[in-house]
Amino acid sequence: MSMTSESNLPAKVVFKILTHVLAYSVHQVVMSPDPDIDWFLNVHHTLSSVCVSFREIMHQISTEAFQYTPSTDATDVATHSLPEHVHRRLRNLRRLGKVVREPSVGSFTLESLDPTAPQLVQGYSLYIAIVYLRTQASRSTREIYKSTSVTIFGAVITLSKVLYSRIAPREVSVMLQAATEDEAELSNIGVLLVKKLTGLSDLLDSVERSEYSSGVLESESKPDPSKLKTDLEQLITTICALDIEFLSLLQRSSDNQGQPPPCCNPLWLAQLPDVQTTLSKLVDVSGQHPELVERDFRERLDKLFERWTSPPAETTSEEDSES
């Protein structure tokens, strides 16, 4: 690629453009399922080749973002040049990110976190750990999911309050920040749904045992139809609202970052612990006791049940040939 001598853009504008391109490239290196990511892996070299001013500004940005310290020893052949240093760090992130691009074949351990890595790399490593924990917890029991969500929230706080303040330039972390905020929102939605479904499951059990009265379980009481109807409809409303909020999050993430959150298809909520079982029980009870659920609520419930029990769209597995 031939290099022009100078850019006509102001240095501040060039700096802003290059930091955002670098931020997007790093995020794609970690998250993109497309195996053809050479442009993103070589982003430093490519942008530095545009013109002299781009090269100088990219040198400044990458030196800060990847905390590069050149060797002062002329005989030190082990120390990488800045382009090599950036490329090596990006390839490491690519390998680490495979656990969230292909969760069925990947695993993540604490040893994967490198405390000596640049803050940007540490930030993405922690983000990958958050996604991995969420994925594993969603396949477990209700209790494990709740406790893991507390751990995830703590990791999100660490990213938000500690690591972000150490990443420079701040602009290179914009994609990471947005992705972390999505994870926090996913966690909140998931925890609230599981909590509501736990209450719903208890309520449905009380219907089957005819032990519900005025919101209190009593061994010899009869159901209070009015209170029971109100409670069921409120729970259906909340569950449907959480589903809408979740789908909105997926769409917003796709619009802003080019893809939805990792390991998260439109049926993710339905795959959380006990969701399918409780929803099936609700459909059965509302069918057996139509007087407990108004037609409008029943239609909303049927639509949700149909969507949550439909098979997810098939996706092509990534075929990385990383060395």
Side-chain angles (χ1 to χ4, degrees):
M1 178 186 293
S2 61
M3 182 185 297
T4 59
S5 60
E6 193 56 74
S7 166
N8 294 324
L9 295 172
K12 288 184 178 180
V13 174
V14 173
F15 180 88
K16 188 170 184 177
I17 292 172
L18 295 183
T19 51
H20 280 79
V21 172
L22 180 60
Y24 181 79
S25 298
V26 174
H27 198 74
Q28 292 305 307
V29 164
V30 176
M31 305 309 307
S32 176
D34 189 344
D36 184 13
I37 58 159
D38 285 348
W39 196 95
F40 301 121
L41 286 171
N42 297 313
V43 62
H44 172 86
H45 175 76
T46 301
L47 295 179
S48 298
S49 301
V50 174
C51 63
V52 173
S53 60
F54 271 44
R55 182 179 62 189
E56 293 173 349
I57 294 174
M58 272 307 298
H59 187 280
Q60 173 192 347
I61 293 170
S62 293
T63 297
E64 279 193 279
F66 294 94
Q67 296 175 247
Y68 175 70
T69 304
S71 174
T72 56
D73 184 356
T75 64
D76 182 9
V77 296
T79 301
H80 298 276
S81 66
L82 177 58
E84 292 172 331
H85 176 77
V86 173
H87 190 269
R88 182 168 58 90
R89 288 297 187 182
L90 290 178
R91 289 205 67 84
N92 288 341
L93 279 176
R94 181 65 177 174
R95 283 192 287 271
L96 195 60
K98 189 170 184 176
V99 72
V100 296
R101 297 192 306 273
E102 294 188 79
S104 61
V105 299
S107 61
F108 190 92
T109 63
L110 291 177
E111 288 72 22
S112 302
L113 300 173
D114 180 5
T116 66
Q119 297 298 316
L120 179 63
V121 175
Q122 288 191 47
Y124 266 103
S125 299
L126 186 54
Y127 168 72
I128 291 167
I130 289 170
V131 176
Y132 179 75
L133 283 174
R134 168 175 53 86
T135 305
Q136 297 303 308
S138 65
R139 302 169 179 170
S140 62
T141 64
R142 184 189 307 169
E143 290 71 23
I144 291 177
Y145 178 76
K146 290 179 180 178
S147 62
T148 303
S149 295
V150 174
T151 302
I152 290 174
F153 183 74
V156 169
I157 293 298
T158 299
L159 260 178
S160 302
K161 303 296 184 182
V162 180
L163 283 178
Y164 287 154
S165 63
R166 299 175 182 172
I167 295 174
R170 295 294 298 274
E171 292 86 351
V172 299
S173 66
V174 291
M175 298 291 290
L176 176 59
Q177 287 179 302
T180 305
E181 289 168 1
D182 286 346
E183 284 300 317
E185 191 171 347
L186 274 177
S187 180
N188 290 335
I189 292 172
V191 168
L192 184 55
L193 177 67
V194 171
K195 179 181 178 181
K196 291 297 181 181
L197 285 172
T198 299
L200 177 60
S201 180
D202 294 340
L203 188 60
L204 295 173
D205 288 343
S206 73
V207 173
E208 294 177 346
R209 296 193 307 266
S210 296
E211 294 177 348
Y212 187 90
S213 178
S214 301
V216 180
L217 293 179
E218 299 175 359
S219 59
E220 297 181 356
S221 64
K222 293 183 179 181
D224 178 348
S226 177
K227 181 67 167 64
L228 180 58
K229 181 173 180 292
T230 299
D231 288 349
L232 284 174
E233 291 181 348
Q234 286 179 346
L235 284 168
I236 292 172
T237 298
T238 301
I239 292 168
C240 290
L242 287 172
D243 185 55
I244 292 173
E245 185 179 351
F246 168 69
L247 293 177
S248 297
L249 169 61
L250 292 191
Q251 186 61 55
R252 185 175 69 250
S253 179
S254 296
D255 292 342
N256 295 340
Q257 301 180 51
Q259 64 247 340
C263 309
C264 198
N265 63 45
L267 299 182
W268 178 72
L269 287 182
Q271 297 162 355
L272 294 180
D274 298 338
V275 170
Q276 293 272 11
T277 302
T278 304
L279 196 61
S280 296
K281 188 188 298 184
L282 174 58
V283 171
D284 291 341
V285 169
S286 62
Q288 296 167 6
H289 303 278
E291 73 281 0
L292 295 178
V293 181
E294 294 287 348
R295 179 177 178 180
D296 175 58
F297 288 94
R298 177 58 195 244
E299 289 176 351
R300 293 164 65 184
L301 175 61
D302 288 343
K303 288 180 180 178
L304 182 64
F305 184 75
E306 180 180 1
R307 194 179 77 75
W308 278 6
T309 55
S310 300
E314 294 185 1
T315 57
T316 302
S317 175
E318 174 192 4
E319 295 182 3
D320 279 331
S321 56
E322 299 167 357
S323 57

